[in-house]
Amino acid sequence: MRSQFLPFSKPSISEAEIEAVAEVLRSGWITTGAKTAAFEQAFAGYCQAQDAVALNSATASMHLVLVAMGIGPGDEVITPSLTWVSTVNLLRLLGATPVFADIDRDSLMVSRQTVEPLLSERTRLIIPVHFAGAAVDLEPLRQMAAARHIPLIEDAAHAAGTEYQGKKIGQQGTAIFSFHPIKNMTCGEGGMFCSDDVDLLEHIRRLKFHGLGMDAFDRTMQGRSPQAEVQEPGFKYNLTDMAAALGLGQLSRLDAFIEKRTALAERYLALLADVPEILPLIPPTYPMRHSWHLFAVRLDSQKAGMGREQFMAELKKRNIGTGIHFKAVHQQRYYQECLPLPAGTLPNTEWNSERLCSLPLFPDMELDDVDDVVRAIKEVLA
């Protein structure tokens, strides 16, 4: 058994990144400033996006998009239930109705086949989710949405560095990224909005800082104009320079992080191939680059002779950390009460929600750590 606990995720922070944050602290300008502007430019360049707006979380970015699009009472928004609750919470708070699309059983992502039957005259927006570092099959969804003049916003919280058909996620259309500590790169907390819609970009930039007609940091003035005027009520969702300094360092190492994650994931897949109780996700076959944000598996409880919670508890006894990504939103207590769905309405979502378990995966792991995890799994199942 391992002598030290192996968490399911841990950020990789270099001494150079620590020093970059310290330099910002010493500079006297620690809120939104030149570092944040540089981070936006660098991330847009990495994704080859039209432009990018940095925010203090992906949730903030999603909130601003929904507000900018005027999503509210009477509107329906199609999204999966197997996702983090933030998007659905925002829809509920704005008075809109989430409409849940089922997912593919093995990739855990929606498709045109699962979304199209849900379209109605009230559908105002479609939010597919790139899951665990894999890319959703965007082109059929884009064609369907464009034919009906329905906007499509990609939840790319798991997809920094992911590619679809030779293009980075964020290069085309509109995508929202997360820099939470468990993601492929981190700012501590933070998010990024990328889009090729210039008007929407400017609207998000305005809304993120009180609705001012000028950004919190104007690149031409090296500061903010004292004459900035409020053009509409806005929010306080700007990213700080402290966070941006960390983000710049992390972005420079993102491809190396993904290379390491890929090696670890391949080791898992090879070692788990002869463990019938464990069912890894199956990556899609269309052209894409997987960024391996998570290594998620499903536990076959019948073959294992135990439920997921017992399985995770037994791994913890062996100093192996795990996570659940995710319990389906419609199965959360609040949504069971206010938006009840009959059992079996989303069969693939519900099947996975009961079985999903995320195994340790982060860049500072070694291949021997994967060996320890699989050895512990085999001990538990034995």
Side-chain angles (χ1 to χ4, degrees):
M1 187 176 77
R2 289 180 61 93
S3 59
Q4 291 187 327
F5 184 73
L6 180 69
F8 101 89
S9 184
K10 180 182 178 183
S12 176
I13 309 296
S14 70
E15 289 301 318
E17 289 159 2
I18 293 171
E19 178 58 26
V21 174
E23 285 180 10
V24 170
L25 291 170
R26 288 190 287 263
S27 76
W29 191 311
I30 62 177
T31 186
T32 305
K35 287 292 184 184
T36 301
F39 184 38
E40 291 175 336
Q41 185 175 13
F43 195 84
Y46 176 82
C47 295
Q48 300 179 52
Q50 174 84 20
D51 202 355
V53 181
L55 299 120
N56 59 17
S57 71
T59 301
S61 183
M62 185 66 73
H63 185 199
L64 296 189
V65 170
L66 296 173
V67 171
M69 291 184 167
I71 301 298
D75 296 333
E76 293 181 351
V77 177
I78 299 175
T79 196
S81 175
L82 197 76
T83 185
W84 184 233
V85 297
S86 59
T87 296
V88 182
N89 284 347
L90 290 169
L91 294 173
R92 184 71 178 169
L93 288 167
L94 290 170
T97 301
V99 177
F100 295 120
D102 205 7
I103 54 174
D104 178 83
R105 186 178 174 113
D106 288 319
S107 74
L108 310 192
M109 292 184 286
V110 301
S111 65
R112 178 169 182 165
Q113 288 69 33
T114 63
V115 170
E116 196 160 24
L118 304 176
L119 295 173
S120 76
E121 293 181 354
R122 296 171 59 192
T123 303
R124 288 284 313 282
L125 182 61
I126 301 168
I127 307 177
V129 176
H130 301 290
F131 200 91
V136 74
D137 196 5
L138 281 169
E139 194 54 36
L141 287 168
R142 284 172 173 161
Q143 291 177 5
M144 177 196 69
R148 292 161 175 81
H149 306 289
I150 300 171
L152 186 148
I153 303 295
E154 301 164 46
D155 181 337
H158 295 188
T162 300
E163 295 180 7
Y164 172 76
Q165 295 187 350
K167 294 182 178 180
K168 288 276 197 320
I169 297 301
Q171 181 173 346
Q172 180 181 354
T174 299
I176 293 170
F177 297 87
S178 170
F179 304 133
H180 182 275
I182 74 167
K183 299 302 195 300
N184 282 10
M185 57 173 285
T186 187
C187 292
E189 290 280 3
M192 192 72 77
F193 173 86
C194 290
S195 183
D196 52 15
D197 184 330
V198 176
D199 291 338
L200 184 58
L201 281 160
E202 289 308 308
H203 201 172
I204 297 302
R205 197 176 294 280
R206 184 166 66 245
L207 284 173
K208 77 163 187 178
F209 197 71
H210 306 294
L212 294 175
M214 188 173 292
D215 196 359
F217 178 82
D218 185 86
R219 304 177 198 197
T220 61
M221 298 187 61
Q222 297 298 303
R224 177 165 58 83
S225 169
Q227 302 301 319
E229 293 282 352
V230 173
Q231 296 187 6
E232 63 181 306
F235 303 86
K236 185 70 167 63
Y237 284 160
N238 55 299
L239 189 73
T240 68
D241 265 21
M242 292 181 291
L246 176 55
L248 281 165
Q250 291 274 294
L251 181 60
S252 72
R253 297 199 289 151
L254 178 56
D255 286 331
F257 288 161
I258 293 172
E259 185 177 343
K260 182 64 178 293
R261 287 174 174 274
T262 301
L264 295 167
E266 289 174 349
R267 181 72 154 229
Y268 269 127
L269 290 170
L271 295 179
L272 291 171
D274 63 348
V275 184
E277 300 92 339
I278 301 296
L279 306 171
L281 302 188
I282 300 176
T285 57
Y286 45 79
M288 68 160 203
R289 178 206 196 192
H290 203 311
S291 66
W292 290 108
H293 160 53
L294 297 171
F295 191 85
V297 300
R298 287 75 55 82
L299 177 72
D300 187 322
S301 300
Q302 282 191 324
K303 291 181 179 178
M306 68 180 72
R308 176 183 57 193
E309 283 65 27
Q310 182 184 352
F311 174 72
M312 295 171 67
E314 290 296 330
L315 286 178
K316 188 174 182 180
K317 290 178 183 177
R318 291 161 175 80
N319 279 332
I320 305 296
T322 54
I324 297 176
H325 300 89
F326 299 96
K327 179 179 180 179
V329 176
H330 76 282
Q331 293 180 322
Q332 301 277 354
R333 179 172 24 171
Y334 172 80
Y335 289 103
Q336 283 182 322
E337 294 173 356
C338 72
L339 293 172
L341 290 178
T345 303
L346 302 169
N348 289 340
T349 298
E350 292 164 12
W351 187 89
N352 277 284
S353 179
E354 295 170 0
R355 294 166 173 80
L356 273 168
C357 174
S358 296
L359 301 180
L361 183 69
F362 53 91
D364 289 344
M365 280 177 62
E366 300 299 336
L367 294 177
D368 288 349
D369 294 320
V370 175
D371 296 348
D372 288 347
V373 175
V374 175
R375 186 179 303 112
I377 288 172
K378 291 180 176 180
E379 289 177 3
V380 169
L381 295 175

